[in-house]
Amino acid sequence: MKVHDILIVGAGLAGMRAAIAAHSHLAHLDIALLSKVHPVRSHSVAAQGGINAALGENDSWEAHAFDTTKGGLYLGDQDAIEAMCREASGDILDLERMGVIFSRDEKGRIAQRPFGGAGFPRTCYAADRTGHAILHAMYEQLLKRRIFVYEEWYVTSLIVEEGVCRGVVAWDLLHGGLHAIGAKAVILATGGSGRVFLTSTNAVINTGDGMALAYQAGAPLEDMEFVQFHPTTLKDTGILITEGARGEGGYLLNTLGERFMKTYAPEQMELATRSTVSLAIGQEILEGRGVDGCVLLDLRHLGRARILERLPQIRELSVEFAGVDPIESPIPVRPGAHYQMGGVRTNQWGETELPGLYAAGECACVSVHGANRLGGNSLLETIVFGRRAGRRAAEYAAAKVPRALSDATLRTEETRIRTLMGNKGPERAWQIREELGKIMSLNLGIFRTQKSMTEAGEKVRELKARASHVWLHDRGKIFNTDLIQALELQALLEIAETILAGALAREESRGAHYRSDFPRRDDANWLKHTLAYRTTEGASLKYAPVTITRFQPK
């Protein structure tokens, strides 16, 4: 059995930043990462628009904190928000020193573009490939430190003994077989769960694995009902068209050629918060002012030179997947599932309720986004809280004495895998996954009602029962993607269950959670966090207060 001081599950930006921070803090520790894909294929690579920090002369971290708090409809914990915004500028400079090539302004400084909900242009960017630039620079730092990576391994369970997380059980995709890997500290950094919806901006790997692992081990998931729908994705594919396109001055038009955001947010227009813009687009389409189920994103007035300099990937994606050149024609767009504001409940240092277990990035909920994330804050969260979690996990691991592990969890997981392999079917995992996506997209999209969510809940429970009997066409051990899809499906169903439970209980509209039957925000009854605990009957809900420091809800 292999044993490490720190094992990080997930090798995207949060995971790599945690590894680098832990190594920089205590270089003698044995640190390893485990990822179901090669690190530079992590979904962080797809982030386009930028990363926020108050670098401008007239900007401040306090203004950034206020915008984040207000944008999240006051559901974010303000102590965590303040920590993120206060440390943002230092982290941007650290990234630059690591080799991230940010775009520059005419004075040679790091360029910043305006993003929705922000009072200042504070989004630093590398054209429209910011995640790609940061991830590759981070991977170089990983190689420089010779941190070991388990490439293409899938964690099936956390090892919890005497109430402490002490490692994982994981399947080796390349060679086959389950292995127990011990660790004094485990950090979950597995990203989001966007694939619980049929059409999503997320990669197919974003199946909520880390959230489900923590949930199954007894740690609560927080605020799972808040799923952000990005306003501008390509029809059918769900491919992201960055908010940077609107930050550069793009217009949203309806079928009448009107900039309809003047009706919904006359001051901020296209740069209103994402939940506001998504609801506006949904309303325009619902009331018949859409264009074939979409609205139009017009960039033509920006001119060829600016589009090719600032938005080259957006042009490429539009031409390739929509057959539209934005230099010449508007892009048809509509809202698509994008980001999970909820996740594994943690404090500011990534610590969960389960000793020895940490979480960072989109799979965690330190609660900086509240009910609606501002564009540019997700990359920042991975860097700030990945660094913090890595540092705190290093201190925890350094103080712990190695202990022998039991093989009980490994044996349990071997039995589970044998059962899956022996199933008679008749259904395949992908069929149930597609059905789940349709149910969630139809009933828990931009608009929600008690009726739609109750019906969805009944169907999800049915799918959960059917998922345990899926038929695996591939019964072999070597690179068995059938098996991984079946395991991912079980994670997705756990996540769907928590989203449904939280959304059905929350009888108000706030940010990304809009209920047609309860259209108003209700601070008196619902300014609180939802905590979902796993039971044999499903998700059991509890509630926790929101931390308010300097900004009273308005």
Side-chain angles (χ1 to χ4, degrees):
M1 180 189 296
K2 294 187 178 180
V3 179
H4 303 279
D5 291 315
I6 301 174
L7 179 66
I8 300 162
V9 183
L13 281 180
M16 283 201 269
R17 188 67 188 93
I20 292 164
H23 183 273
S24 298
H25 190 48
L26 293 170
H28 68 278
L29 293 179
D30 179 355
I31 303 161
L33 285 96
L34 183 151
S35 175
K36 65 178 177 180
V37 295
H38 186 278
V40 297
R41 292 186 66 82
S42 302
H43 187 58
S44 303
V45 80
Q48 296 171 348
I51 178 169
N52 290 341
L55 302 181
E57 294 171 2
N58 298 316
D59 202 357
S60 67
W61 73 261
E62 291 92 346
H64 183 187
F66 173 70
D67 289 342
T68 300
T69 302
K70 181 183 176 185
L73 283 299
Y74 295 92
L75 196 71
D77 287 327
Q78 293 179 29
D79 53 349
I81 291 170
E82 289 170 18
M84 180 180 75
C85 298
R86 186 169 51 243
E87 296 172 12
S89 57
D91 275 311
I92 293 295
L93 298 179
D94 282 346
L95 291 177
E96 187 180 37
R97 293 185 194 104
M98 289 180 193
V100 178
I101 304 173
F102 288 107
S103 295
R104 301 281 161 172
D105 64 16
E106 61 281 355
K107 295 182 179 179
R109 300 173 298 193
I110 293 174
Q112 295 184 280
R113 57 171 49 129
F115 254 39
F120 294 87
R122 66 169 65 97
T123 305
C124 312
Y125 59 93
D128 55 358
R129 297 186 177 95
T130 312
H132 184 279
I134 300 175
L135 193 75
H136 279 261
M138 204 72 74
Y139 186 56
E140 291 170 1
Q141 295 296 317
L142 204 68
L143 295 176
K144 176 182 175 182
R145 289 165 173 78
R146 298 183 180 179
I147 294 171
F148 183 76
V149 181
Y150 293 89
E151 289 180 14
E152 296 182 310
W153 286 61
Y154 183 87
V155 174
T156 67
S157 176
L158 298 176
I159 298 173
V160 180
E161 294 181 359
E162 298 176 356
V164 177
C165 182
R166 302 191 52 217
V168 306
V169 173
W171 178 271
D172 180 352
L173 275 76
L174 251 56
H175 305 100
L178 280 172
H179 300 265
I181 305 172
K184 296 176 186 175
V186 173
I187 303 175
L188 298 174
T190 56
S193 54
R195 283 293 154 180
V196 77
F197 293 89
L198 184 65
T199 305
S200 169
T201 65
N202 286 199
V204 293
I205 59 173
N206 283 25
T207 49
D209 306 320
M211 299 177 199
L213 287 170
Y215 184 57
Q216 290 159 355
L221 301 186
E222 180 176 344
D223 292 340
M224 292 297 288
E225 62 266 41
F226 295 101
V227 180
Q228 183 171 81
F229 280 69
H230 196 286
T232 55
T233 75
L234 293 180
K235 185 181 179 182
D236 300 325
T237 64
I239 292 173
L240 178 67
I241 300 299
T242 175
E243 190 167 327
R246 286 173 283 133
E248 294 294 337
Y251 299 153
L252 288 172
L253 307 175
N254 60 20
T255 191
L256 304 174
E258 300 170 333
R259 287 181 68 184
F260 58 86
M261 285 308 301
K262 65 186 179 185
T263 304
Y264 302 91
E267 292 183 8
Q268 294 174 307
M269 295 289 285
E270 286 84 3
L271 290 178
T273 59
R274 288 179 176 178
S275 60
T276 301
V277 180
S278 290
L279 282 168
I281 293 173
Q283 198 66 33
E284 290 293 302
I285 295 169
L286 196 65
E287 294 178 4
R289 293 186 293 277
V291 181
D292 190 26
C294 299
V295 295
L296 300 175
L297 175 62
D298 194 356
L299 307 179
R300 293 173 296 179
H301 55 284
L302 302 181
R304 168 182 283 270
R306 190 169 182 181
I307 290 172
L308 293 179
E309 178 196 350
R310 303 283 184 89
L311 303 166
Q313 183 177 231
I314 293 308
R315 181 181 183 236
E316 184 181 334
L317 292 171
S318 300
V319 171
E320 196 72 29
F321 293 96
V324 172
D325 187 342
I327 293 172
E328 300 171 357
S329 305
I331 309 168
V333 294
R334 67 180 183 186
H338 180 58
Y339 188 89
Q340 175 55 265
M341 267 78 74
V344 185
R345 178 174 170 83
T346 74
N347 64 12
Q348 292 182 50
W349 293 96
E351 296 167 315
T352 71
E353 290 189 10
L354 184 62
L357 182 66
Y358 300 76
E362 190 175 349
C363 81
C365 184
V366 64
S367 195
V368 288
H369 305 307
N372 175 54
R373 175 176 68 79
L374 296 188
N377 272 352
S378 59
L379 287 183
L380 180 60
E381 178 193 21
T382 65
I383 300 303
V384 172
F385 293 107
R387 170 178 53 75
R388 282 173 152 243
R391 185 182 178 95
R392 183 56 60 92
E395 293 168 353
Y396 176 88
K400 292 295 174 183
V401 177
R403 289 175 54 195
L405 273 180
S406 156
D407 65 353
T409 306
L410 177 61
R411 299 290 166 247
T412 300
E413 289 303 292
E414 286 174 339
T415 301
R416 181 160 77 107
I417 298 300
R418 274 197 304 272
T419 302
L420 267 175
M421 291 280 204
N423 280 345
K424 304 297 183 185
E427 293 178 293
R428 302 287 299 280
W430 67 265
Q431 293 172 310
I432 295 178
R433 180 164 163 168
E434 186 170 318
E435 194 172 338
L436 171 66
K438 288 177 179 176
I439 289 167
M440 294 296 285
S441 294
L442 181 65
N443 298 297
L444 278 100
I446 301 173
F447 304 104
R448 302 170 174 181
T449 64
Q450 181 176 7
K451 182 175 183 293
S452 71
M453 291 187 291
T454 301
E455 290 174 0
E458 292 170 359
K459 290 175 181 175
V460 167
R461 280 189 289 276
E462 176 197 322
L463 293 182
K464 203 171 181 183
R466 285 159 51 191
S468 60
H469 302 289
V470 292
W471 174 57
L472 274 62
H473 181 266
D474 186 350
R475 303 298 176 96
K477 288 190 173 183
I478 308 302
F479 218 85
N480 189 335
T481 54
D482 251 8
L483 172 61
I484 301 306
Q485 285 182 7
L487 294 169
E488 288 176 332
L489 173 62
Q490 292 181 352
L492 284 168
L493 286 162
E494 297 273 29
I495 298 309
E497 184 177 74
T498 63
I499 294 171
L500 274 159
L504 194 54
R506 185 172 285 272
E507 296 181 338
E508 66 157 355
S509 290
R510 186 185 298 268
H513 173 68
Y514 182 82
R515 288 192 55 164
S516 304
D517 46 356
F518 293 95
R520 298 191 181 279
R521 191 177 111 194
D522 181 1
D523 284 351
N525 295 303
W526 289 104
L527 186 63
K528 56 188 178 183
H529 296 301
T530 306
L531 305 182
Y533 290 84
R534 189 174 189 262
T535 71
T536 52
E537 288 78 36
S540 172
L541 300 184
K542 296 181 181 178
Y543 294 91
V546 176
T547 301
I548 296 171
T549 57
R550 61 177 69 203
F551 307 119
Q552 292 300 314
K554 294 181 181 179

